[in-house]
Amino acid sequence: MSAEGKGAAVLRYEDIEVGRKAGLDVTLGGELIDAFARLTGDVNPLHVDDAFARDKGFPGRLAHGLLVGAFFSAIAGTLLPGRDCLLQSARFEFKRPAPAGTRLRLEAVVARKVDAVRTLVLDISARDPEGNLVLSGRLQAGVRP
């Protein structure tokens, strides 16, 4: 995807209906977790050291919660509402940890439209293959004309 927004959906605010959904499948591989740790500086050993995480009772190192949350920026900016999106707020509730290697299904659903300010409220969720909720929350996104 380029800086010009090629590859991002171009949806008109007026055409987006409450209930519309968009989703993304992601795998939280070790290289991705390492890159996020380097980028953010969050090198907590729960995220970067398998042995440390196992000593704390986890099956291995864990993905950062905000790494999972960051993918919702990709959903909003490329899928729903897409190219003309400007995120205004995000709220995340971390329900359970996601060990390295976990595959997640992320979904955003339009819960409400605020026509006066061309804003969408999106309910978001991330679930593991067993359907367990890993993250839930809400995004608010303006749609530029």
Side-chain angles (χ1 to χ4, degrees):
M1 184 178 319
S2 74
E4 293 87 38
K6 291 180 181 163
V10 181
L11 303 175
R12 290 178 356 112
Y13 176 83
E14 296 76 18
D15 296 334
I16 300 171
E17 297 180 2
V18 170
R20 185 175 184 137
K21 297 179 183 181
L24 184 65
D25 294 311
V26 298
T27 299
L28 303 171
E31 289 182 14
L32 183 63
I33 294 169
D34 291 341
F36 190 83
R38 281 191 308 275
L39 182 66
T40 64
D42 182 354
V43 293
N44 181 306
L46 280 174
H47 304 304
V48 298
D49 185 332
D50 277 316
F52 180 87
R54 281 193 297 277
D55 285 346
K56 297 299 179 185
F58 298 104
R61 63 194 184 126
L62 306 173
H64 302 74
L66 285 178
L67 169 58
V68 176
F71 284 104
F72 288 99
S73 178
I75 290 175
T78 65
L79 300 172
L80 181 65
R83 182 196 68 189
D84 298 326
C85 168
L86 181 62
L87 278 179
Q88 298 169 337
S89 67
R91 186 191 82 225
F92 303 116
E93 294 179 19
F94 305 104
K95 302 297 188 177
R96 66 177 356 165
T102 300
R103 184 163 179 78
L104 295 177
R105 175 67 182 167
L106 284 67
E107 186 173 80
V109 180
V110 178
R112 192 167 61 122
K113 292 179 71 172
V114 184
D115 294 337
V117 289
R118 297 176 56 89
T119 295
L120 302 177
V121 177
L122 305 169
D123 287 335
I124 59 172
S125 63
R127 294 184 182 275
D128 67 19
E130 291 76 41
N132 297 310
L133 190 61
V134 171
L135 177 151
S136 65
R138 181 163 271 192
L139 299 179
Q140 184 171 306
V143 182
R144 307 295 297 177

